[in-house]
């Protein structure tokens, strides 16, 4: 696999410049950009799925990450799988995982795997399991996202919602190895419904919530976006977070806007065409500053669930053998890895 720690490299030499001369209208008209259609070519793709790969969990792949040794860890709707480059091995509830549905996964620098599920968090050190729920101090059991700081503190975001079974709490919880601490609307958040957490290269923590983008100052949470944003768009939800090589934060809103934010200014001039992907789920900006977007299939049978913007044109991939893309990860060797509704796929853009 090679060293996959490229995304931990701090780049101090890059200076962010993003200052629009005018703010966009509340509902800007998308600009039709040139596009290129690329049909599926099997020679560029490596497929791993439960039908063809022994040891890979069946079900949708919701999240993926690489550990410091280059091992791929995959969170699925039916357990967690790991891949050493040759063999797959799956861990399920029978092994100690608290719930079959694994929504998020992260690996700390000690190699400990943290898994967010529909029913709490599981911690796996390679030999034994430990489980955490609201009874242990979690803000909520429906865990959607996990992020780990450079000092090893684990941060967990949970969804707050109401269903026929009653009220389910949410919020953000941190764990320093001894104590869980919970952050909710009492600590600056405007919503306890948490979609995404992200540590950037400078170890600053961002949160995508049902009421917008927030950042953590070490004590409490504060809205990250400026007054102009809230005047135009209000407290709309932020679903997906990603960091570009220049440190800019990219996110997707509830209204399906794709936004680039440099920490001061925001820009929505980058507008994807909804005819390519109806519902974006994941974003990845690679080392060449190509922006990859994966999501739901627009038209059933089209296979158009992946698009890439290279700065001048859209590249639309069609006839792909999967209907949804939930996660996109780039490794140092330039491969693009996809977590999909039909397993894991590796794409060689070269």
């Amino acid at each position: 696999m090679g060293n996959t720690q490229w995304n931990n490299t701090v780049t101090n030499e890059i200076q962010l410049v993003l200052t629009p001369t005018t703010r966009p209208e509340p509902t800007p008209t998308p600009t039709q950009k040139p596009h290129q259609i690329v049909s599926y070519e099997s020679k560029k793709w490596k497929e791993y799925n439960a039908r063809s790969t022994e040891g890979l969990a069946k079900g949708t792949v919701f999240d993926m990450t690489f550990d410091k040794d280059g091992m791929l860890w995959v969170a699925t709707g039916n357990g967690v799988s790991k891949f050493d480059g040759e063999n797959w091995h799956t861990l399920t509830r029978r092994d100690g995982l608290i719930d079959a549905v694994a929504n998020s996964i992260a690996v700390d620098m000690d190699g400990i795997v943290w898994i967010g599920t529909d029913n709490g968090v599981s911690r796996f050190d390679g030999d034994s399991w430990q489980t955490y729920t609201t009874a242990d101090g979690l803000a909520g059991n429906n865990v959607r996202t996990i992020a780990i700081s450079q000092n090893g503190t684990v941060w967990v975001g949970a969804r707050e919602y109401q269903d026929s079974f009653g009220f389910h709490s949410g919020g953000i919880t941190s764990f320093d190895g001894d104590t869980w601490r919970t952050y909710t609307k009492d600590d600056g958040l405007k919503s306890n419904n948490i979609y995404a957490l992200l540590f950037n290269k400078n170890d600053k923590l961002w949160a995508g919530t049902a009421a917008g983008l927030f950042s953590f100052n070490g004590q409490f949470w504060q809205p990250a976006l400026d007054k102009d944003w809230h005047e135009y768009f209000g407290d709309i939800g932020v679903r997906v977070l990603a960091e570009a090589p220049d440190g800019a934060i990219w996110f997707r809103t509830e209204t399906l806007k794709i936004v680039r934010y440099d920490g001061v200014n925001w820009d929505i001039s980058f507008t994807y065409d909804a005819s390519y992907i109806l519902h974006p789920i994941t974003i990845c900006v690679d080392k060449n500053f190509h922006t990859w977007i994966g999501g739901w299939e627009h038209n059933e049978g089209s296979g158009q669930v992946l698009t890439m913007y290279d700065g001048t044109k859209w590249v639309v991939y069609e006839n792909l053998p999967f209907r949804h893309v939930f996660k996109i990860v780039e490794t140092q060797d330039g491969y693009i890895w996809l977590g999909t509704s039909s397993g894991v796929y590796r794409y060689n853009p070269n």
Side-chain angles (χ1 to χ4, degrees):
M1 287 290 183
N3 181 7
T4 59
Q5 293 303 303
W6 58 273
N7 56 357
N8 290 330
T9 302
V10 178
T11 305
N12 295 319
E13 291 79 9
I14 296 177
Q15 183 177 5
L16 299 175
V17 178
L18 182 66
T19 308
T21 56
T22 58
R23 291 295 189 188
E25 294 299 320
T27 54
T29 302
T31 301
Q32 183 67 36
K33 300 181 185 296
H35 67 275
Q36 172 186 358
I37 301 295
V38 177
S39 294
Y40 177 78
E41 295 182 54
S42 59
K43 65 181 180 180
K44 282 185 169 287
W45 294 85
K46 176 65 176 178
E47 176 181 354
Y48 304 97
N49 59 48
R51 297 187 306 274
S52 61
T53 304
E54 184 178 357
L56 176 62
K58 295 179 182 178
T60 297
V61 173
F62 294 121
D63 198 10
M64 302 186 302
T65 191
F66 288 89
D67 66 22
K68 63 180 181 180
D69 297 321
M71 178 138 0
L72 173 65
W73 291 85
V74 177
T76 82
N78 194 34
V80 171
S81 295
K82 61 179 179 178
F83 182 55
D84 63 9
E86 296 182 2
N87 301 304
W88 289 88
H89 179 66
T90 292
L91 303 166
T92 67
R93 293 181 66 178
R94 289 175 296 181
D95 300 289
L97 185 63
I98 190 174
D99 193 271
V101 180
N103 302 305
S104 57
I105 191 164
V107 185
D108 66 24
M109 292 305 295
D110 294 324
I112 296 172
V113 184
W114 297 83
I115 305 150
T117 77
D118 277 358
N119 196 33
V121 171
S122 286
R123 175 189 183 275
F124 180 59
D125 64 9
D127 295 311
S128 61
W129 292 85
Q130 192 164 358
T131 293
Y132 303 97
T133 66
T134 52
D136 302 289
L138 278 184
N141 285 335
N142 192 277
V143 176
R144 313 309 296 176
T145 178
I146 296 179
I148 301 176
S149 70
Q150 293 177 10
N151 68 6
T153 301
V154 178
W155 292 77
V156 176
R159 177 186 172 212
E160 179 180 88
Y161 64 102
Q162 182 93 26
D163 63 12
S164 58
F165 295 100
F167 174 78
H168 303 266
S169 62
I172 298 172
T173 319
S174 67
F175 182 62
D176 61 8
D178 295 312
T179 305
W180 289 97
R181 178 178 177 184
T182 292
Y183 300 87
T184 63
K185 289 189 287 187
D186 293 335
D187 304 288
L189 295 170
K190 290 188 177 181
S191 171
N192 295 333
N193 194 356
I194 311 303
Y195 298 136
L197 294 173
L198 172 72
F199 276 101
N200 68 6
K201 295 178 177 65
N202 296 322
D203 212 32
K204 183 174 183 178
L205 180 58
W206 303 84
T209 80
L213 181 66
F214 287 76
S215 62
F216 186 63
N217 68 3
Q219 293 183 323
F220 57 88
W221 293 85
Q222 53 196 8
L225 299 169
D226 59 20
K227 180 180 178 182
D228 287 336
W229 172 274
H230 293 286
E231 286 180 350
Y232 281 121
F233 296 107
D235 295 331
I236 59 175
V238 169
R239 285 273 183 175
V240 179
L241 293 176
E243 185 181 18
D246 61 1
I249 301 298
W250 290 73
F251 62 90
R252 193 217 88 188
T253 71
E254 292 274 19
T255 53
L256 304 185
K257 297 289 189 297
I258 304 294
V259 183
R260 180 184 185 272
Y261 177 60
D262 68 359
V264 178
N265 301 296
W266 50 272
D267 183 13
I268 60 171
S269 62
F270 175 94
T271 305
Y272 78 99
D273 190 324
S275 66
Y276 304 151
I277 296 177
L278 179 63
H279 192 92
I281 299 173
T282 182
I283 302 170
C284 175
V285 184
D286 68 25
K287 59 188 177 183
N288 295 315
F289 289 88
H290 296 162
T291 303
W292 298 80
I293 301 174
W296 293 88
E297 189 175 51
H298 190 295
N299 298 310
E300 186 173 353
S302 70
Q304 290 185 356
V305 294
L306 179 68
T307 185
M308 182 269 287
Y309 186 62
D310 66 6
T312 58
K313 69 178 182 302
W314 290 97
V315 178
V316 182
Y317 298 84
E318 65 176 10
N319 301 320
L320 298 173
F322 40 85
R323 296 187 59 187
H324 313 304
V325 176
F326 291 93
K327 185 70 174 182
I328 305 176
V329 178
E330 183 198 23
T331 51
Q332 190 176 22
D333 54 13
Y335 285 105
I336 302 297
W337 290 76
L338 308 179
T340 80
S341 53
S342 300
V344 176
Y345 288 77
R346 187 192 71 186
Y347 175 64
N348 182 3
N350 301 316

